[in-house]
Amino acid sequence: MTTRTTRTTRYIALLRGINVGGHNKVPMAELRALLADIGYADAKTLLQSGNAVFTAPVAATAKVAKTVETALAAKYGTDIAVMVRTADEIRAAVDANPLDVGHPSKFLVVFYADPVDRTKLEGFDASAHAPEEMALSEREIYYNFPEGMRDAKLPIVVERKLKVRGTGRNWATVTKLLALAEEE
C-alpha cells in the first residue's frame, strides 16, 4: 500500500485593520482556533494586530488568503482583508529591502495581495515627501520615516494613487514574524 504525504509549508497571514479603535475585534486565541478549524496547523500569533504564522498544505497564497478571509467572514460577519506570504517569500522581502532601516519602528513594509501596478505611480515624485523614502518590490512597498510614522504622508498618497489596499507592518514585526516562521 502506498501512503501519500501532503507537502506543507509555513505561511504568514497579515490581517488588515483588526483590533484598531475597537473595530473588527479578533482575539488572537480565536484566530489561532479559527486557523486550526480550517485545517491549518501549529498556528502562532504575534501582537494583537492580526499576525499569524501557521503550517498548511502547499497552495497559492491567494487561495490560502481567500480561505482565511472566508472563515473570518463566517465567524465575525465582516470583510477582513488578509495578505498571505510563505516564509520563503517573507525571507525574500527582508533580504530584498533596498533602503536603510534606521530605527525598526520607523520603517514600514506594506504588503499587497497582487503585484504593485507601477503604471499608477508613473510621474510620482516620492522625493517631494522627503525625508520620507520609499522603494517598490513586486508585492511590497518599503517606507522609511526618519521622523516617525505618526505624521507620515507618503503611504497615504501612494495608496490613493494605487487605489488598492495593503497592510503595513513595521520592520521589527516583519523580522519577528520571519523568525517565528523559520523556527524548527
Side-chain angles (χ1 to χ4, degrees):
M1 175 174 195
T2 305
T3 20
R4 200 173 178 158
T5 57
T6 302
R7 286 184 353 164
T8 61
T9 195
R10 295 291 278 167
Y11 291 96
I12 294 93
L14 307 167
L15 283 65
R16 179 184 163 99
I18 68 157
N19 301 336
V20 179
H23 295 96
N24 289 339
K25 286 198 172 255
V26 178
M28 294 302 94
E30 290 182 16
L31 178 57
R32 289 188 301 273
L34 178 137
L35 292 168
D37 289 346
I38 57 178
Y40 298 160
D42 193 27
K44 297 174 183 172
T45 53
L46 179 69
L47 304 172
Q48 296 299 311
S49 54
N51 307 297
V53 176
F54 54 91
T55 301
V58 173
T61 55
K63 181 179 179 185
V64 176
K66 185 66 175 168
T67 300
V68 176
E69 287 172 348
T70 300
L72 287 164
K75 181 163 182 74
Y76 296 104
T78 185
D79 180 25
I80 298 171
V82 179
M83 310 304 148
V84 172
R85 299 291 191 275
T86 65
D88 289 343
E89 288 171 329
I90 292 289
R91 166 55 64 200
V94 166
D95 291 347
N97 172 25
L99 299 176
D100 179 29
V101 171
H103 195 285
S105 69
K106 296 178 180 181
F107 193 90
L108 184 73
V109 182
V110 177
F111 296 89
Y112 295 92
D114 297 311
V116 174
D117 184 352
R118 293 169 185 264
T119 63
K120 292 182 178 179
L121 296 173
E122 285 178 2
F124 175 66
D125 182 13
S127 68
H129 297 278
E132 296 177 26
E133 304 176 277
M134 69 176 270
L136 285 82
S137 72
E138 186 178 348
R139 292 190 299 160
E140 294 84 28
I141 298 180
Y142 303 87
Y143 293 97
N144 186 27
F145 308 113
E147 297 176 351
M149 281 193 218
R150 193 179 99 195
D151 297 321
K153 303 284 188 257
L154 196 50
I156 297 165
V157 173
V158 169
E159 190 167 286
R160 285 183 187 148
K161 289 189 168 297
L162 291 176
K163 296 183 174 131
V164 63
R165 297 180 304 166
T167 189
R169 299 296 185 273
N170 73 32
W171 192 252
T173 300
V174 171
T175 56
K176 286 176 186 172
L177 283 167
L178 177 59
L180 197 59
E182 290 181 339
E183 282 180 355
E184 290 297 322

